[in-house]
Amino acid sequence: MPHLPAAGRPVPVSTYRVQLTPSFGFADAAAVVPYLAELGVTHLYCSPYLQSAPGSQHGYDVVDHDRLDSDLGGPVDYLRLVEACAEAGLGVVLDIVPNHMAVSEPEQQNAAWTSVLRDGPSSAYASWFDVDWASPDNPGKVLVPVLGKPLELSLDELVVTPESVTYYEHVLPVAPGTFVEGDPLATLQAQHYRLAHWRDAADSLDYRRFFDVTTLAGLRVEVPEVFDATHALVLQQLRDGVVDGLRVDHPDGLADPEGYLRRLAEASGGSWVVVEKILEPGEELPSTWDTAGTTGYDALNRLLGLFVDPLGEQRLTALWRERDPLPYDEVVEQSKRLVLSEVLRPEVHRLVRLAQDATGLPTERLEPPLVELLVAFGVYRAYLPPDGPADEAARGHVDHAVALARSRRPDLADDLHLWRGLVLGEGGAPELVTRFQQTCGPVMAKGVEDTAFYRYLRLTALCEVGGDPGTFGVLPADFHRACVEQADDWPLSMTTLSTHDTKRSEDVRARLVLLSEMPDEWGAVAARWDARHPDLDAPTRYLVWQTLVGAWPLAPERLGAYLEKATREAKASTSWVDPAPAYDESLQRVARAVLADRDLVAEVEDLVARLDGPWRTTSLAQKLVQLTMPGVADTYQGTELADLSLVDPDNRRPVDFDERRRQLADLGSADPKLRLLATSLRLRRDRPETFLRGSYTPLPAGLRALAFCRGEEVVTVVPVRAVSVARDGWGDEAVELPPGRWHDLLTDAEHDGGSVRLADLLTDSPVALLVRA
């Protein structure tokens, strides 16, 4: 059965995501609404806009759910945005954050957290936050780490805090210096400090965090009064018709995602809701969830794989193993072990304590098999009811992880079997079942997405949110099968190519996937560049070369900032927790040296120029597929023109909307990507049933193209091997169009149904968008 909102509830046909910041607030968004309406978008898709921490650049650090963010313009400017959308006929989709709130300094920004710090378990807000009040370290208190704060306090002043709060005492300068300990009179002034022995101190954090971010504390929205209080304003906006739908951030962090979505559906009258859910290969969204689908990472990675040539896998794998011999599975295993031993140790220790309560067994018996199980777990979460029994899918995830862990550590077989019973709800420890699931997600996010994806660099385009860099390409037949299933089961799920969280923009990936069609040439180029700049380690050099090709032109400041983030996320030679100043500085020197190397830059420019035609073809092809495949099509701000952004904050740079308005006003001479986007979005707006509920029918199109029909009236045809086509032409390859007369909206050409040569169909445009004449 298809998952649909309640009858009569509005549904987006397409969305345009904007990142609201203090420098691009409600009034600025209102100013671009007429442009978006002209573009063909049906809904403005806003990043979170409830009151966040001062100066927030993303809105995920909410401090007050009852107020509109004053940094964005508050109620006055928000009314301007609402009026602009109403006048232009645009709806609004809002990103909401039910999992956590910001608890950063000053605490007064978050009245609920301040009350908890002041009054402890007796606070009226004690039930709001996921605090372990029974922690044996400091029962009845919140443990607050002091990290990266400018302090002008003596040590004795530092620990004078409200009774319900414990601050760590030992601090040391971030810069190398003398460790100060045990001298309560020592005054540490005008410097930045962090915890001494941070890993040891982190073992004692006693509130659930968002992944490893200590300034974001987990909310207990499973408590009815907490849900009501934190959703009142959003639900009122849905009732008033100001907001049409919601994007739910990180549902896997919640104690009961299914129960939360059910309550949200009831409270919102069955509104259109999508969830930011990462589905691993082969994993399906639970059919019992009250949601229209995901935010589109599953669609993104299926689509991306179409343009990766499997014939290039062997050579690109060999090139990478010359630099790092570890296979992907081992990289993932090592990365998970690293984060479990460092940033996620508090979560491990809390699970061990819960298991001790249930079994009476000592830590040394419980912790090793727990770590093995978490390392082996292959999905962000198995949806296990706290009291059992688990369904077949959830049990399958657990059993697979237990089997993998047992193969690695056969000596722990009995204890792994014990943990299997505990996490499946057979051990009488319901809280442990929930906490285990809330830990699996951070292990995947920090271990895989934020570590392994920066270590395994065989083809960096594949290191994308929700992706599997160990899998090389997607066969058209598999893509078609997935689209047919989505049209049947999740027709209103979102599709996307770029988001505020993607590691690279769609156009960077579109250029990088071309390397799979030219692995020998790429290998020779990379070897020459390696020889010119041998100062860095081989894996990092390979990242630099792919980054230059993918994101060129690239200024030294952007390259340096990206490499700092990428290497610190990789946690091999440096990290955010333990930066290595000498390595960090050497990295920046090499980045500057590479871009000052005129011969190397000339080679980069030459390669990018030779790839220009295939790159632009691939950019258009993937965009057209995304806009016409089943689902609600999202466009990320600025990507209607070629966008060569890297990971945040690079992908949150200001957008030149004046240039986009100018081009849209003269669409005939506009950039081909903007012209394709406007044509496709306007077609979607005019024929919503075709794209939201219409059938999906694969069409035969040879080995180097993809074609499909939507609802018997719209056909998409695109190349998937742009380098090969540019080099060799189409030859006699053809697509089989359905019977009838077909009009190409991108060229105004007309074609009869039946077998049509791709060389004839794709003469004036590298892609075709056909409608029945």
Side-chain angles (χ1 to χ4, degrees), residues 148 183 283 290 378 414 448 552 570 589 659 696 701 721 725 732 758 767:
D183 181 1
E283 184 185 7
D290 280 317
D414 291 342
V448 180
W552 191 262
R589 284 199 304 271
E659 173 62 18
Y696 178 97
R721 297 290 176 267
V725 171
D732 293 329
L758 289 167
V767 300

Side-chain angles (χ1 to χ4, degrees), residues 153-220:
L153 301 170
S154 63
L155 282 177
D156 59 337
E157 291 174 316
L158 177 63
V159 296
V160 175
T161 62
E163 185 175 294
S164 60
V165 185
T166 296
Y167 281 96
Y168 294 109
E169 301 180 36
H170 304 309
V171 293
L172 76 114
V174 167
T178 304
F179 176 65
V180 180
E181 181 177 27
D183 181 1
L185 301 179
T187 301
L188 313 175
Q189 295 183 337
Q191 298 184 64
H192 286 266
Y193 296 90
R194 67 176 174 88
L195 291 177
H197 308 300
W198 185 86
R199 296 184 186 88
D200 294 334
D203 289 346
S204 301
L205 289 169
D206 64 351
Y207 58 90
R208 180 173 61 86
R209 306 163 293 166
F210 174 68
F211 299 153
D212 61 339
V213 184
T214 57
T215 55
L216 297 176
L219 284 170
R220 299 183 64 215

